[in-house]
Structures are given as C-alpha cells and as structure tokens.
Amino acid sequence: MSAPLIRSLAPRTLFALLALFAFASTSLGQGLLVHIDPHHPHPLPRPFPRPTPQPEGQYRIDELAVNARIEDQVARVQVSQTFENVGSRQMEVSFVFPLPYDGAVDQMTLLVDGKEYPAKLLPAKEARKLYEDIVRTNKDPALLEWMGTGLFKTSVFPVPAGAKRTVTMRYTQVCRQSQGLVDFLFPLRTARYTCDAPQKISVNVSIESSQPMKNVYCASHPVTIERTDDTHATVKYESTKEIPSADFRLFYDASTDGLGASVVSYRPDPKEPGYFLLMASPDLDSNNKLQAKTVVLVADTSGSMSGEKIDQTKAALKYVVNNLNQDDTFNIVTYDSQVMTFAPELQKVNDESIKKAIGYIDGLFAGGSTNIAGALERTFKMLNDDDQPTYVVFMTDGIPTTGETNEMKIAELVAPLNEVRARVISMGVGYDVNSRLLDRLSSDNYGRSEYVRPNEDIERVVKLVYSRLSAPVLVDVTVDAEFDENISGPAIQRLYPDGPFDLFRDDTAIVVGRYRADGTAKITIKGKLQGKEKTFAFPAEFASDSKDDTNSFVAKLWATRRVGEIIDELDLKGENDELVKELVELATKHGILTQYTSFMADDTARPSDIAANASRARGALRQLELADGEFGFNQRAAKQFYGRAGNDGIALGGGSRPSATPASGPESERLKEESAELSRLSSFGNATWYDAKNDKAQVAENIVQIGRKTFFNQNGQWIDSSLDADEVKNARNVEQFSDEYFELASKHGRYANGVLAMGGRVVVRLGDEVVSW
C-alpha cells in the first residue's frame, strides 16, 4: 500500500500539492526551546529571510526523528531532536512539550545530550499561566495555540553559541479511540519555529493489533504503508529541508467484520451541514474465490507511437495479460487507421489464450492514423455480460485523425453502446491528446482518466493502474445513513465518489460528504459480492458542534473534491453561473486556489466581493477551451487530482496521493531547492495553487488558513474571509496581550487559539462577535 507517484503532474508540481494536503489544524505542538530571559524579549524563531548576522536567541533543528510503537491503543514514543544555536550569544533555554492530549501522556523521560533532566508536569491551569507569561514577556503569540492542556517542562540549561543539543524524549501515550478507530497524533508543526527548514524529519510508526486491522490511513502526510499481515503495519514518512505545516495524523481500525469501516466527522458551525469522512476497506475474499472480471485493453498503434512508446505499450499489454485471473475474460483491441482485435469476441483466460495473446502483442508495430471512434465502437459491441465488472483500459497518444473526429460525436457514440456499465480508464500519453475527450469518455462511463507525461514510462503507469484493478471485491458500492433524528430529505449528501464505485483488494476507499442530522446513525454500505447483493451496516456518531479544529482536514478534503467536480462539470458541460459562484465561495472559505481562482492571490482581491470575483473566475475558466497541448494536458491532470484528493487507492471514484521523492541527479537538487522554498512559504498556513499554464507551484502569501478560518491580508491586516466591509469596520478592538485578549481563548474554545497565535493585525469572527487586535 505504498503511496504511488501521481502520474498526472510533473515532479516539481508535486510539492505544491503536498503543501495543499498538509491540512491545517490547531492540534498541539512538538517540543520546542523557549529562551528564558526575563529582561529581554525573545520571540520564537521563524524561517523567514533575516539580515546577517543572525539576531540573538536563534536556533534551528538539524534533525527530528520520531519512532513510535502502537500496541492496540497504547503508543510508546521516542523522539530525538537536535537543536543548534545559530545566534551570537549563549541561550538559556527550557525544553517545553505541550501534551498531545490532555492527561494522555505519562512515563515521560527527558535527556539532554544523554543526561537526564527532571521534567515537571504542569496541569492545564498552571500551564496556561506559563504560556501567558512567556507570550507577554516575548510579545510573541505563537505559544497560544497550545493553551488549554498541560505540558512537560525541563529546568533551564545552556546552549552556547554555535553549539548543538540533542533532546531525547520517551513517553507513553494512550491514543484517542472512537467507535473502534484509533487516532495517533504526533505534533510536528512546532518544527516551524526554527531559523531554517529542519535538515531531516523522519517518522516511523509500527502498529501491532490484537484484532485484524482494516483501514490504515494517514490524513496529513504522504506515507508508505507496509502490511506484513492482518495485525501488523509499518508507516513511514521522511522529508529533507522541509518545514512541517501539519501535525502527523494516523488512523487505523481493527475489526473481525468482513468490511472494516469508520467515520470521522467535523461540524464547525451547527447551523450548517457538517463534514464527514468514511474509510472502508474490504477483506471479503479470504473465504471466497476472486471476483471474475472482464478486461479489454484498447491500445493506440498509430505512427506517433513508434519507437520507445510502442515498446513500452507492448510490455504493458503483456503485463496485464500475464496477470489476469483464471475466471476472467479479456480481449485486446489495437487501432491505427484500421481497427484490429486479438480475437473476434471475448476470450476465457487459460494457458492457450494467454499464449496466443502474447504472440499477438509481439506482432504489433506502429504506423497509420488514429481511428479512436472505430476502436471504441468495436470494443463496446463485444461487451455483453453485466454479471461481472468490466474494465476498458483505453490508451492513446493523439487526437482522432480518421473516422469520426468530432469530440462530442465520439462521446455520444459510446454512451448508448455501454449496456454493461463498463468502467473506462482513459490513459492520455503525451501532450498531443484531446484531454477533454478522454475526460468525457471516463466521466460518461463510470471511470477515470490518467495522464502520462512524454518522458514517463507507459508500462510503469499501466502496472500501477492494473495492480489495483486486478482484484475487485465489492462492486457497484453505495453508501447511505439513517439517523435517529427524522429529517426531510437525504441525511447525507454531496458524497464523493458521487455514485456507485468499486472496492478492490488491499484498498481503502475514502468517501467524503456532508451531513444534515447529528448524533447516532446507522451507516449502510451496499454492493455486489460475486454477483450477489451484499449489505453491511455499522453504527457511527456524527458531531453536532466541533469545539476544536482537530478534524478540520475533513472539511478541506471534501471542499477539494468538490472543487474538482465543479471544474469537471464546467469543462464537460460548459458555463454555469451558479457553479462558478460556488467555485469562488469554496476558494474564499477553504483557501483552495486553482488556475481559475488564482487571482485571489493578488493583494488587491476582495474576498467579500463574490460577484466581481465570479466574473474574474468566469474569464479564467475560458482556458478550459484548450483541450490539447501541454496546458490542456496540465489542466485536466490537475482537475483529476482535486477530484480524487486524499485517497490511497485506484478505486474508481477514488484517487492516489503524491510522493515527494524527486528524480536523481541535478534535477533532484533543483527540485529539492524548490521544495524547500515552497515549504518555507507555506509552513504557516499559506494557500498553495498549481499554475497549470506554467506548470509551476505557487504560494499565495496573502492567504492563510487556520483550522476553520481563512484569512486574506489587506493593507497589512489579516481579515476573516467570512466578514463583509461593515463588519470589519465595526469590529470591537481588543488590546493584544491584555487580559481581555487572553480571555478570548477561554470564551471561544480551542479553535480560537490558533487564530490568536497568528500575530500581527487581525479581524476575525469568534462566535457571534467580530473582534480585532
């Protein structure tokens, strides 16, 4: 279950999208050094450009290594963190560790360069006073985001100028658990408080469960997950010269049921529908033979495929054919000016048919034009069995040049022929494809699109796709919920995937949606198992009002997928004023910028002026008229990424997660530098977006998201995006660092802490009042 590379975007753009999915949260922070000097203020260091020489009291983190072992609900954690004093004078510091969860940590041991230091546990009330004293003394609000729980604190120790100190910490933590879902949180975000990006961060979590594990899901970082058996898993994350913008958040559940499923909910405003995330992982084939399926491979062999591309395509076809299951049926359709098939009709998988198919593939060569319509018509006319799932893998590197060449007519030709609900996986190879045609084919036929850049290996991409598709377990899956509270209309809505989808062996499907009722609900998952209807039901709790933003990533994930769906609909169906307005509102509320709302990164943009911003977005969306070339390719690839955000699997309607592993050689160093710069700029919550026209990651330094809040910087003031001009003008002013200022945290709950920690000039809605400082 290692996280695959996203094939749809160039390597340098992956870093922007990694930043996008480092979902903001106001959860608690990793240990940090606090400079103790009652006579001089020492704000925490920040990774921003500063004059040389460095000011006093600055440090950086050379390495942060986290090793955790979770046995059922108990985590034993060891953290080793090396600090270097890069200032000009000796620092007298105390190491402070805010508790991950209040009262959940015990058996704390702290060592500084191997020498054990006494660590005092301060309960929440006493810790609050310490935080306030430090914030007042240093005139730095950063520590406010951890008010509300206890902390461990060492006695003061020196760090001479230029010296390093390694702090090793061991503790036992009882992980939160709800409805069988274990939630492991390791706060990484205080590694932001350093002069420079940490040289290396590594997280290694091993899980041992007494019950079979179903879902293992990291909500915050691109990780590799290795499953040795049903009760053991290892999760790894590494980064170099990157500044964490999110805490490390890992979920897993254990169950003896055939379908493991869990729900995480988040409702920041009880007056509006909440957000939920459903994780579902099938383990239904252990006592059953594999689900039979039909696979038709449709490969472009036109002249433009000559050379390395045809060799890679042939290798990819062989891989799929050699990995078909015994009860599967299959065929191969190849096309240039003419359309040819391996066999006139679908073939059963056996030794003889496989041998003949390999021989057919060996005889392929590139030449001629591109008859896409003819190939698709031949393919769908041979499909006649809807008792088992059918997958059509359609590959092309060009636009149609013979036969029917009109994009709309080709799409209209296919739809009525698809009588067996075949899932079409369209694969565009290179920049010369009509990317909108591929998306239209996939969208109309229950599938998805993949985009292969000119320098990528077609065989590798096909292997990644088919390795997921090879073993469907539960197909035509739907999700519903029944609450104790009776409401009119559907209780859950705007689900993504937005229709029936398939679940595959070893996959976790990530379904997000909105919910209108709250409290206890019965979740029902229905699908077909071996051709027979199967229903699974389990209880879930939906929050009525979220007092903190621990689960704010769920809202961001839902909004990102919704953005992908809106762009897709505008692309395939044309202009729609309501959808354009909603796209702008999502960008404003959730800080999700795209190629078409990137104008909001301009300091002159006014988030409250929805009408004007919708007009600008409408103009930008005309770029979707370009369907081929690199820009057209990049636009559709980015759209696919948004629509499948946050899913590890290839499950149709799902998605994949980017990896930060760059290429080797000089390109690798350039990418690392670019990644470090993006990491620095986005580490304090700045919005990121993908510039598809220039194929480049961008950061909107005037937009920051803090949990449920998005702020726009206007004339040096951070303004809550939910406010209009009159509310900003009439905001009640509170003096920063006054008693009234600190009371805001107590009055409005944990979510307000992150806002108070922003610093600078701020105008924000907290509860029913608008305040500024």
Side-chain angles (χ1 to χ4, degrees), residues 377-434:
E377 184 175 16
R378 181 77 61 87
T379 297
F380 282 93
K381 283 185 175 180
M382 72 173 67
L383 303 178
N384 53 21
D385 184 1
D386 60 0
D387 289 336
Q388 61 189 38
T390 297
Y391 303 97
V392 175
V393 181
F394 172 69
M395 294 177 277
T396 183
D397 80 330
I399 59 176
T401 56
T402 189
E404 180 57 68
T405 59
N406 182 275
E407 171 190 321
M408 288 294 293
K409 290 183 178 179
I410 292 174
E412 290 171 356
L413 167 74
V414 171
L417 295 176
N418 189 0
E419 297 179 352
V420 299
R421 202 178 180 275
R423 293 79 160 156
V424 175
I425 295 88
S426 300
M427 301 189 67
V429 180
Y431 297 140
D432 295 330
V433 297
N434 182 326

Side-chain angles (χ1 to χ4, degrees), residues 8 10 42 69 86 141 146 169 204 206 221 229 255-256 276 325 349 392 547 553 586 616 643 741:
S8 57
H42 288 283
R69 180 179 180 83
V86 296
W146 301 301
M169 177 172 53
N204 190 315
S206 64
H221 293 79
D229 56 39
S255 170
T256 56
F276 74 91
N325 302 321
V349 171
V392 175
K547 300 299 184 183
F553 72 92
L586 288 169
R616 294 181 70 176
Y741 172 79

